[in-house]
Amino acid sequence: MTRPVVVGVDGSDASSHAVDWAVDEAVRHGLPLRLVYASLWERYESDPAEPMTAGDVVAAAAERAGRRNPDLEITTAVVPEEAAAALVRAGADAFALVTGSRGRGRLKGLLLGSVGLAVAARAHCPVVVVRGDRAGLAGTHERILLGLGDADTGTDAVRFALREAEVRGCVLDAVRAWRRPAYDRGGHRLPDAERPDEYEEQAADLLAALLREPVAEHPHVRTRRTTLEGPPGRVLVDRSAAADLVVVGARRRTGHFGLQLGRVGHTLLHHAQCPVAVVPQR
């Protein structure tokens, strides 16, 4: 069975941007598109001045998607569930889940809507939160940014990023941030000149190890490898200004029911200047 690109819709402007992005993604990969609207709390989320029923929401989203690409296979679903739970369920057989960065409820002014955050933290497929400035949304930078963490969160994210770079004809910019501790294990302050090259070499070695096999599987993708000193979240947010998509990994711990999203992913979902893909390690 062909796995679709699934996008959550709710009638908001952010949802419209997500639909546009998801259409382009489905076309790039030759996949169908599935539009999902979770209607459980519809009466509380609708704007009294512009009321929209579940049918209105999915019809408008399907029309928009069809205008963007008339040849795309599009299906719709209205699910009487809470939004995050409905999307996580829909992602069980999805290529990727796509959401907007904000909803249309009373809390739409938040940096990131609660639905997008919950889906990115819980889904077992890649989740893309569509956010960023006009250039980032347009995908004109021809660059995929990959933030590499530890080995247990990075392998699937590397492969996802390489596939994205390949279908788009983009450069893959693989980045590993590194930092020097301020104190040694005995609690003594380390001088600023204390061998910074040691930490940079460790970062470069990990970067090379994580990229070696996946890059060999995609020989036509141009890859740049960069190690930078600084907090990973800040480094990636800064570099996201010149990227079409930033990709990071996440770990899903069996039996853990809370939010499973690292600090770097959380930072990017709130502050990145382009769409963010969170890829769980399976």
Side-chain angles (χ1 to χ4, degrees):
M1 183 178 67
T2 301
R3 294 180 298 161
V5 174
V6 175
V7 55
V9 299
D10 65 4
S12 65
D13 290 341
S15 169
S16 296
H17 292 314
V19 169
D20 291 346
W21 195 96
V23 168
D24 295 345
E25 181 75 352
V27 170
R28 277 190 289 264
H29 291 276
L31 300 173
L33 180 71
R34 185 163 179 78
L35 306 170
V36 177
Y37 176 53
S39 63
L40 183 63
W41 306 115
E42 177 185 355
R43 70 174 68 248
Y44 301 107
E45 295 171 346
S46 183
D47 185 348
E50 299 179 11
M52 296 181 70
T53 66
D56 294 333
V57 170
V58 295
E63 181 183 2
R64 184 182 183 97
R67 288 198 309 268
R68 193 163 182 93
N69 192 294
D71 298 324
L72 181 62
E73 179 186 342
I74 302 169
T75 59
T76 64
V78 176
V79 184
E81 294 182 51
E82 184 272 330
L87 290 175
V88 169
R89 187 187 302 274
D93 61 353
F95 171 81
L97 270 173
V98 182
T99 76
S101 59
R102 298 176 178 86
R104 64 185 175 104
R106 295 181 179 180
L107 300 181
K108 62 184 179 181
L110 294 176
L111 287 173
L112 174 66
S114 59
V115 173
L117 183 62
V119 171
R122 294 177 178 143
H124 289 273
C125 70
V127 174
V128 179
V129 174
V130 178
R131 57 164 299 114
D133 58 21
R134 182 174 299 179
L137 293 174
T140 57
H141 296 294
E142 298 185 347
R143 179 169 166 266
I144 302 297
L145 175 62
L146 170 64
L148 279 170
D150 297 329
D152 60 354
T153 62
T155 306
D156 287 344
V158 172
R159 288 188 163 86
F160 182 89
L162 281 163
R163 287 196 300 270
E164 288 297 312
E166 187 165 59
V167 298
R168 297 164 183 252
C170 285
V171 172
L172 177 66
D173 182 14
V175 176
R176 168 76 181 181
W178 58 274
R179 290 185 286 184
R180 288 175 286 164
Y183 297 87
D184 63 18
R185 295 182 181 276
H188 302 99
R189 186 168 184 85
L190 295 171
D192 290 341
E194 181 75 16
R195 292 219 51 208
D197 55 321
E198 175 184 349
Y199 302 101
E200 185 172 13
E201 288 169 5
Q202 291 173 359
D205 289 345
L206 179 60
L207 193 63
L210 287 173
L211 290 174
R212 187 174 296 113
E213 289 187 13
V215 165
E217 298 167 3
H218 298 267
H220 301 297
V221 175
R222 294 168 293 159
T223 304
R224 297 174 183 165
R225 307 179 186 191
T226 306
T227 56
L228 292 170
E229 182 178 8
R234 184 189 305 165
V235 166
L236 294 173
V237 167
D238 289 346
R239 292 178 78 86
S240 71
D244 299 326
L245 178 69
V246 55
V247 180
V248 291
R251 180 170 56 248
R252 297 290 184 257
R253 290 169 288 175
T254 303
H256 184 84
F257 297 102
L259 295 180
Q260 300 183 53
L261 190 64
R263 181 180 299 176
V264 175
H266 195 278
T267 298
L268 287 167
L269 289 172
H270 283 86
H271 300 292
Q273 299 176 66
C274 68
V276 178
V278 177
V279 181
Q281 182 68 28
R282 301 192 181 193

